[in-house]
Amino acid sequence: MERKDIIKTFAANLRAERARRKYTREKLAEMANITPEYLARIESEKYSPSLVVIVNLAQALEISVEKLVSP
């Protein structure tokens, strides 16, 4: 899988999980200790988050990192 495909998959999975839980960007960002603007850039595939941010997002959503990165 290429880098751009991983970023696209991660962003899509993140958006889907956030929507499924009916979390606003502001709420999820606060839970993951990032800014809503940074979260928006991750979800729009403009930024590639660090491993720490990925783990924080997975924990905030109460899912595995694997679920966020798997196609």
Side-chain angles (χ1 to χ4, degrees):
M1 187 180 270
E2 291 187 30
R3 184 177 191 272
K4 66 179 181 172
D5 295 331
I6 294 169
I7 293 169
K8 185 174 187 165
T9 298
F10 176 78
N13 290 346
L14 181 59
R15 286 190 307 270
E17 282 296 322
R18 183 172 64 79
R20 188 173 73 78
R21 294 176 186 274
K22 297 180 170 70
Y23 287 171
T24 63
R25 280 190 180 138
E26 290 75 16
K27 178 176 175 126
L28 180 57
E30 182 179 332
M31 294 170 70
N33 200 31
I34 60 175
T35 67
E37 295 80 14
Y38 184 54
L39 179 56
R41 289 180 180 108
I42 293 169
E43 287 186 341
S44 65
E45 304 170 31
K46 292 182 177 142
Y47 285 179
S48 177
S50 70
L51 182 55
V52 170
V53 171
I54 293 170
V55 169
N56 287 350
L57 287 165
Q59 288 175 341
L61 292 166
E62 298 178 343
I63 60 173
S64 68
V65 169
E66 183 179 9
K67 187 166 184 176
L68 282 176
V69 298
S70 296

